[in-house]
């Protein structure tokens, strides 16, 4: 018996009872739509986060002190991520616990040929540059010379903080073009000028030695502030910063940039082993080194866990949908008992009847699946644009959804179809 | 009726019983013997519950006898498997039911095509054949109508066309006029006569209508699961 004939039959059957067909498909529609939507949103978030991380420095290794017995560990995410994103979650620590300049010097001696740059930062705090009514919000940080390289800053005018500035702990600063424009009207006029910065308790005056190009970080879901209120980084020499804050020499963390031909994760392992020697006997702290690619891996791990959870939920809703299809097929078969008897009297084999109802179940699921896919695409595209990174589901997931809905049809249609196939023709014909 | 004509239905000692609850076994047919030749028009009459439909189901290979021997057009039905029985029903038997049993929401044309679909006839051939048959039963104008758009008599004519689809050896009709008024019943009966006369079909007809039975060549009377008479009918 023709396959096309079976499909035609199934479609006419469905069209004759549209409402019932739609209700039957609902489980499948919701299940498939949910999968497509969530996969689309997940893809959008993962790729945006990964590319943001990449932008923040794919070759960078964050080295930082970690508590040996942390009280709270975020699942799947180390403190590395928190620190690298600018949150200091370490408590107070003794000066002897810090990474000293000698350690860093020895690190250079050992692995200097694999390290492109070693940058350090000491947060001073938020401040405000002010000149009459003109102002600019700042985040003041003490940095070393290599900071420019590891953060890939683009210098527009002048120079960056250098070792001589640090040795002499002078009040010089590298400011953003935004700050320069706000205070001096024009970026190139700022060079060699004095700039007053209001901190919480004091006012410091710096000489501008360089201007860098401010780049907005594409961070998802950050609250938007007015253009002129944007807080930009204000770089001063590391030693100057320590002098101001009274921080001891030595640091809690620094950033390494691996050379072009060096695998960051391998260098990170070496650095961690290097510091293990110093911190073996320290009861409270150890030193960890993690490269951005490890962080991205961790991110992928989290996404993987989320995907499994989604798969389980989708699986359950598709199971419920499949049972719905099976139920309606059983009802339909009972209603059409006489028809089945007639077909058998006219010479239909058990196989003919079975295939007819399996095809019908597959068609129901396929139509449900297609409606679900369309709905899922709409929700996914809409949802991802609302979140700020428009995405479209891949062709792969759509094909999987189509195949999967057909498999549901075969799986849940088989039992009712087989029941129909095995009906006794006489009893079926007598059925009232 | 010529004695040389080939025997198409050959039954010997056919018994049929049904299980109705554990200890009871209800025997409906008690050893039926029947022989029908090719081209005969036979009617079976008898009181309600005498076992006519039960016998018809066995003749039509829808059911197997509990015991006995049945050879249909050279094939031993009592030994055939399910698949084989489907094939026999498809190619050798044409059923006409009291309640028409057309497939709902399916046009007259598609209904007539159905047996040919199961026999694997090509699309073009089955459409051509179905149209030809609908012309014969004078339903050519209503080919695209669905059963719900047809009168009882029209439905039965479509059903007869469908029974003829695979050019079967026998047409089995279980009270084909039972649900029709006498006038439309008359038209249906005329159609059987036409098929018998013009196409030489073997027809077995079950009826409660004595007058219609008298029109057939041979009248078999069933009472309590046995034939009590086998008489020559009136003129055709
Ligand atoms: N599946 C079955 N199980 C039990 N008893 C059955 C079954 N099928 C038929 N019978 C019984 O067999 C007997 C004969 O039934 P059948 O349908 O052959 O009668 P009939 O001669 O066709 O009657 P009618 O003229 O009313 O159609 C009836 O008593 C019926 O109850
Ligand atoms: Mg009967």
């Amino acid at each position: 018996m023709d396959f096309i004939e079976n499909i035609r039959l199934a479609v006419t059957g469905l069209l004759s009872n549209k409402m019932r067909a739609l209700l039957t498909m609902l489980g499948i529609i919701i299940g498939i739509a949910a999968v497509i939507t969530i996969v689309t949103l997940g893809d959008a978030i993962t790729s945006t986060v990964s590319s943001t991380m990449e932008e923040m420095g794919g070759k960078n290794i964050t080295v930082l002190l970690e508590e040996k017995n942390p009280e709270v560990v975020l699942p799947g995410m180390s403190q590395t991520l928190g620190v690298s994103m600018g949150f200091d979650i370490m408590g107070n620590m003794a000066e002897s616990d810090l990474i000293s300049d000698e350690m860093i010097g020895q690190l250079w001696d050992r692995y200097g040929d694999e390290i492109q740059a070693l940058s350090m930062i000491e947060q001073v705090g938020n401040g405000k540059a002010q000149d009459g009514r003109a102002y600019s919000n700042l985040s003041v940080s003490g940095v070393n010379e290599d900071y420019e390289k590891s953060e890939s800053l683009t210098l527009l005018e002048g120079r960056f903080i250098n070792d001589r500035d640090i040795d002499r702990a002078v009040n010089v600063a590298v400011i953003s073009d935004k700050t320069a424009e706000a205070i001096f009207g024009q970026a190139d006029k700022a060079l060699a000028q004095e700039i007053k910065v209001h901190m919480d308790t004091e006012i410091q005056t710096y000489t501008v030695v360089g201007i860098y190009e401010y780049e907005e970080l594409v961070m998802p879901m950050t609250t938007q502030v007015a253009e002129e209120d944007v807080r930009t980084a204000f770089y001063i020499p590391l030693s100057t910063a320590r002098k101001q804050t009274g921080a001891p020499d030595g640091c809690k963390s620094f950033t390494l940039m691996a050379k072009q031909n060096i695998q960051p994760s391998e260098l990170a392992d070496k650095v961690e082993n290097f510091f293990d020697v110093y911190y073996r006997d320290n009861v409270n702290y150890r030193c960890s080194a993690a490269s951005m690619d490890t962080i991205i891996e961790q991110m992928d791990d989290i996404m993987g866990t989320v995907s499994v959870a989604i798969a389980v939920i989708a699986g359950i809703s598709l199971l419920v949908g499949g049972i719905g299809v099976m139920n309606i097929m059983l009802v339909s078969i009972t209603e059409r008992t006489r028809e089945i008897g007639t077909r058998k009297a006219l010479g239909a084999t058990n196989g003919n009847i079975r295939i007819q109802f399996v095809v019908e179940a597959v068609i129901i699921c396929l139509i449900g699946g297609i409606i679900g896919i369309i709905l899922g695409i709409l929700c996914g595209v809409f949802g991802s644009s609302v979140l700020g990174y428009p995405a479209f589901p891949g062709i792969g997931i759509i094909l999987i959804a189509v195949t999967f809905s057909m498999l549901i049809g075969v799986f849940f249609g088989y039992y009712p179809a087989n029941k129909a196939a095995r009906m006794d023709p006489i009893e079926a014909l007598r059925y009232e | 009726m010529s004695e040389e004509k080939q025997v198409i239905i050959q039954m010997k000692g056919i018994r049929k019983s049904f299980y109705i609850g554990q200890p009871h076994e209800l025997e409906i047919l008690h050893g039926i013997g029947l022989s029908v030749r090719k081209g005969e028009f036979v009617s079976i009459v008898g009181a309600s519950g005498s076992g006519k439909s039960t016998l018809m189901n066995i003749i039509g290979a829808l059911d197997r006898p509990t015991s006995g021997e049945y050879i249909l057009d050279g094939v031993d039905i009592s030994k055939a498997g399910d698949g084989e029985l489907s094939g026999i029903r498809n190619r050798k038997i044409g059923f006409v039911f009291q309640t028409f049993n057309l497939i709902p929401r399916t046009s007259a044309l598609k209904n007539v095509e159905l047996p040919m679909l199961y026999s694997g006839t090509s699309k073009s051939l089955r459409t051509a054949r179905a149209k030809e048959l609908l012309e014969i039963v004078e339903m050519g104008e209503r080919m695209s109508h669905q059963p719900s758009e047809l009168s009882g008599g029209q439905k039965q004519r479509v059903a007869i066309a469908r029974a003829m689809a695979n050019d079967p050896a026998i047409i089995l009709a279980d009270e084909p006029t039972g649900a029709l008024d006498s006038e439309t019943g008359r038209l249906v009966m005329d159609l059987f006569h036409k098929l018998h006369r013009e196409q030489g079909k073997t027809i077995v007809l079950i009826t409660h209508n004595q007058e219609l039975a008298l029109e057939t060549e041979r009248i078999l009377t069933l009472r309590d699961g046995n034939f009590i008479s086998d008489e020559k009918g009136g003129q055709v």
Side-chain angles (χ1 to χ4, degrees), chain A residues 72-88:
Chain A
V72 193
V73 177
L74 298 173
M77 208 192 297
S78 80
Q79 296 175 335
T80 325
L81 192 59
V83 167
S84 70
M85 291 173 106
F87 314 114
D88 190 350

Side-chain angles (χ1 to χ4, degrees), chain B residues 141-190:
Chain B
E141 320 271 81
R142 301 247 193 276
M143 287 196 283
S144 55
H145 285 52
Q146 295 192 357
S148 56
E149 299 160 350
L150 297 174
S151 75
Q154 289 169 332
K155 280 186 213 177
Q156 197 59 303
R157 277 168 20 217
V158 173
I160 291 169
R162 185 176 66 180
M164 296 284 294
N166 279 332
D167 198 16
I170 311 165
I171 289 184
L172 295 180
D174 193 345
E175 299 184 45
T177 60
L180 304 173
D181 62 59
S182 56
E183 219 167 307
T184 27
R186 178 73 257 154
L187 288 172
V188 166
M189 197 59 193
D190 287 345

